[in-house]
Amino acid sequence: MNLKLVTICAAAAVLATAADCRARTPRPAPSPGGHPFEMPHVARPAIPADTVSVADFGGVGDGHTLNTAAFAAAIDALAARGGGRVEVPEGVWFTGPIVLKDNIELHVGQNAVIVFSDDKSLYPLVETTFEGLNTLRCQSPLSARGVKNVAVTGRGVIDGNGDAWRAVKKDKLNPRQWKELVQGDGVLSDDEKTWYPSESYKFGATSGADQNVSTWATTRADFERMRDFLRPVMVALHNCENVLLEGVTFQNSPCWNIHPAMCTNLIVNDITVRCPDYAQNSDGIDIESCRNVVLTNSRFDVGDDGICIKSGKDKAGRDRGIPCENILVDNCIVFHGHGGFVVGSEMSGGVRNVKVSNCVFSGTDVGLRFKSTRGRGGVVEHIWIEDIAMSDILQEPLLFDLFYGGKSASEALAAGPEAESADLAPVAVDETTPAFRNIHIRNVWCRGARRAMYFNGLPEMNVEHVTVENTYIYAATGARINESSDVVLRNVQIIPEQGPALMLNNVKNLRAEGFVAPGGLDRALVVTGSRNRGIAVSSAQITKENADLSESAARYVVIK
């Protein structure tokens, strides 16, 4: 079955919506001033005026001719003259990997499509970083490493031919799609719930892996045995300075779509990123250990996290010690995916100084998703989020989870019922303990979610110093705040279809000021756990009569 064709047909409505979004007047890039942290001006890369066409070097845009050599020759010729723009004119440009160099702009023109070949032999194993770890993976279709002043611009499309690379889970397709898929090439998992493109992929996926990185391979020969499993990120920009991505549509990646790592001064403006919803690990953009980033006016519709901030994983990330910092995200839309704006789970190097504003999340599993777990380490702090509208969120509009288990929120729920809140024993705090703190959220609207909010801190390291204000959420169930400290809910309205509006467990120093819940609830507030302290709730709808307080919590709760 040609899943790519199915994707194109099924996505027609999304494309129409994206076109409407593009027609909106783009907001200018945020200025350095007016932010809650010191944000330097991020200038566009300086690209020389020299211009060549890939067609000048033997390239043919007929959708059949392999143009790998033509792209390399055009880039090399410009690089030898100090740089410039490589123009990709209208047509379909079939090619192997493209590697950008200093002072090079790849300009994909109107009605131009770059389609990367599905011949995996064109993508050798290379040293890279993926999921926060140094490892070997197949070379990315479009990459730049250690360069300055590089850009990918235009109104064309860059297609990663990802269906040739990815495994597919049975529950992500309808019965007709699954039947057609398994009748073609590829192999099934032992439980017949996952289709793999090849035996090589199946071996890599089942021989021992931490997410998508092998836990046992040490030699190149080991990695070659599972080569198909090591599918590449489509656009890899590592250790670069002064980078611009603008105007282009990036779609159908083998794995993550866009992965800037250890970059300084990055502008991403007015791009579209698309992958089918069945695409495994098809994150829109993963900004890892980067500094001075402006992401604006862009659209994401993918099968995993939409906009994601990372900084390395576990000891490798802590040893690297490069935080992701000084990040501005403004006027973006995420249609589908596991999260709209996401931090983690690989955040061992820390994340700080982030502002997210004027965004829409529609149909994502989670809206604002912060995830980590014991063993990561790293501190996420100084985050400002404002003016966010959400609809049809499958799980939570706002999620802080320090017990992340590697699954999407929906997959975790499907795997089994959530454990009841309990007095979990703390463990010793050390460099492997992650932390979420000093986070400010205001002006959020959401209609349609399973649960209004979920804060899930560690008993030894609470989610702490979080303020949520001017927020209005209509959801199936109310907010649950667990193992959290110094939380302020100011002018927050939560309307659950059933159950309490606010559930607290082992919460210290929480103030709910002007909290609004539906009138007439039998149980509007529930407080459990033995470690609650300093809880004050001011609400016209919450009274001592409809508050359900555990015996140990009752003396620490004040209801006004």
Side-chain angles (χ1 to χ4, degrees):
M1 165 181 146
N2 188 339
L3 286 178
K4 184 173 177 181
L5 180 60
V6 172
T7 302
I8 292 171
C9 295
V14 174
L15 277 173
T17 305
D20 290 342
C21 295
R22 178 171 286 184
R24 298 182 305 165
T25 302
R27 297 175 184 269
S31 63
H35 300 302
F37 51 87
E38 185 176 346
M39 178 72 187
H41 175 66
V42 183
R44 296 167 70 90
I47 306 294
D50 200 355
T51 299
V52 301
S53 170
V54 68
D56 298 336
F57 294 82
V60 181
D62 61 2
H64 173 71
T65 302
L66 188 67
N67 290 288
T68 314
F71 276 103
I75 291 169
D76 288 346
L78 273 182
R81 304 201 297 254
R85 172 190 278 195
V86 176
E87 292 192 338
V88 183
E90 64 181 5
V92 178
W93 300 85
F94 186 61
T95 183
I98 298 172
V99 180
L100 302 179
K101 296 185 175 182
D102 284 331
N103 308 315
I104 295 294
E105 175 184 354
L106 180 68
H107 184 81
V108 188
Q110 187 78 33
N111 301 327
V113 180
I114 294 175
V115 178
F116 287 103
S117 173
D118 59 359
D119 180 356
K120 297 184 180 68
S121 68
L122 298 175
Y123 306 87
L125 293 179
V126 297
E127 294 182 0
T128 188
T129 178
F130 179 68
E131 291 186 345
L133 300 171
N134 295 327
T135 185
L136 293 179
R137 293 190 79 81
C138 292
Q139 179 178 345
S140 289
L142 178 59
S143 66
R145 181 178 292 273
V147 304
K148 293 184 179 181
N149 298 317
V150 64
V152 181
T153 65
R155 285 299 179 189
V157 174
I158 296 178
D159 190 303
N161 220 337
D163 281 327
W165 292 87
R166 295 186 300 259
V168 180
K169 294 181 179 179
K170 183 178 182 178
D171 61 6
K172 294 292 184 89
L173 302 179
N174 64 43
R176 178 183 61 80
Q177 291 173 320
W178 179 253
K179 181 179 179 180
E180 292 181 7
L181 177 64
V182 300
Q183 286 176 343
D185 296 333
V187 294
L188 289 175
S189 61
D190 294 343
D191 61 7
E192 298 188 348
K193 293 183 179 180
T194 302
W195 174 88
Y196 299 112
S198 67
E199 289 285 359
S200 171
Y201 192 116
K202 181 179 179 180
F203 172 72
T206 58
S207 62
D210 179 2
Q211 299 290 332
N212 293 285
V213 178
S214 173
T215 55
W216 63 270
T218 56
T219 67
R220 181 170 287 270
D222 291 336
F223 285 96
E224 287 288 356
R225 291 184 64 191
M226 64 181 82
R227 197 171 182 284
D228 289 0
F229 174 65
L230 306 174
R231 56 203 162 105
V233 169
M234 184 166 69
V235 181
L237 305 165
H238 292 181
N239 300 101
C240 297
E241 184 177 343
N242 305 334
V243 179
L244 171 67
L245 304 177
E246 187 169 58
V248 177
T249 294
F250 300 89
Q251 67 178 26
N252 203 23
S253 174
C255 197
W256 295 351
N257 281 269
I258 302 171
H259 182 209
M262 290 77 75
C263 292
T264 302
N265 301 337
L266 167 68
I267 298 174
V268 181
N269 181 55
D270 191 25
I271 68 168
T272 298
V273 181
R274 302 175 55 243
C275 263
D277 59 4
Y278 59 77
Q280 295 293 113
N281 313 114
S282 59
D283 297 25
I285 184 168
D286 291 276
I287 301 168
E288 180 176 357
S289 294
C290 292
R291 187 169 184 266
N292 307 338
V293 178
V294 178
L295 167 56
T296 53
N297 309 314
S298 296
R299 299 147 297 279
F300 302 85
D301 192 347
V302 294
D304 209 307
D305 291 327
I307 301 167
C308 196
I309 309 298
K310 300 177 180 290
S311 64
K313 186 174 183 177
D314 299 343
K315 185 177 186 301
R318 297 192 299 272
D319 289 347
R320 179 200 293 167
I322 303 176
C324 215
E325 61 182 343
N326 302 340
I327 315 291
L328 300 179
V329 177
D330 184 72
N331 197 37
C332 293
I333 298 177
V334 181
F335 291 103
H336 294 98
H338 292 171
F341 174 79
V342 182
V343 175
S345 68
E346 304 95 74
M347 39 67 70
S348 302
V351 176
R352 61 187 180 226
N353 295 350
V354 178
K355 182 180 179 182
V356 182
S357 56
N358 304 303
C359 290
V360 173
F361 307 138
S362 180
T364 58
D365 278 16
V366 178
L368 300 165
R369 185 186 191 197
F370 292 71
K371 53 181 178 174
S372 189
T373 191
R374 286 171 174 150
R376 290 281 188 272
V379 177
V380 174
E381 62 182 346
H382 305 311
I383 314 293
W384 284 263
I385 299 172
E386 62 186 23
D387 301 315
I388 309 294
M390 310 185 210
S391 64
D392 298 325
I393 302 301
L394 300 183
Q395 301 303 326
E396 292 92 2
L398 177 55
L399 171 67
F400 294 97
D401 190 4
L402 286 170
F403 284 93
Y404 174 65
K407 299 176 186 282
S408 73
S410 292
E411 289 171 334
L413 182 65
E418 185 178 272
E420 292 293 324
S421 297
D423 284 355
L424 296 178
V427 302
V429 173
D430 59 22
E431 64 176 5
T432 72
T433 306
F436 294 155
R437 66 193 185 203
N438 298 327
I439 298 168
H440 314 271
I441 300 169
R442 67 179 185 180
N443 303 340
V444 174
W445 303 266
C446 178
R447 180 174 179 86
R450 182 180 70 88
R451 177 166 50 188
M453 298 180 193
Y454 187 37
F455 292 25
N456 193 28
L458 300 171
E460 69 273 14
M461 184 61 72
N462 283 189
V463 174
E464 59 183 357
H465 295 288
V466 177
T467 299
V468 181
E469 59 183 331
N470 301 337
T471 290
Y472 311 89
I473 299 174
Y474 179 89
T477 61
R480 182 179 292 276
I481 299 178
N482 183 51
E483 298 290 357
S484 300
S485 303
D486 299 297
V487 175
V488 176
L489 305 178
R490 182 178 296 117
N491 190 26
V492 171
Q493 175 177 289
I494 294 178
I495 307 298
E497 295 177 0
Q498 60 183 11
L502 185 58
M503 293 160 278
L504 309 178
N505 180 71
N506 290 335
V507 173
K508 306 174 191 68
N509 302 325
L510 178 141
R511 300 197 320 273
E513 303 170 357
F515 186 89
V516 177
L521 289 178
D522 293 334
R523 296 167 74 234
L525 170 68
V526 174
V527 184
T528 58
S530 64
R531 296 191 289 266
N532 297 284
R533 298 289 187 277
I535 297 172
V537 177
S538 172
S539 171
Q541 296 79 31
I542 297 177
T543 65
K544 293 180 180 179
E545 287 70 30
N546 64 14
D548 183 353
L549 312 180
S550 68
E551 184 177 348
S552 62
R555 63 193 178 115
Y556 297 109
V557 180
V558 176
I559 299 173
K560 302 178 182 179

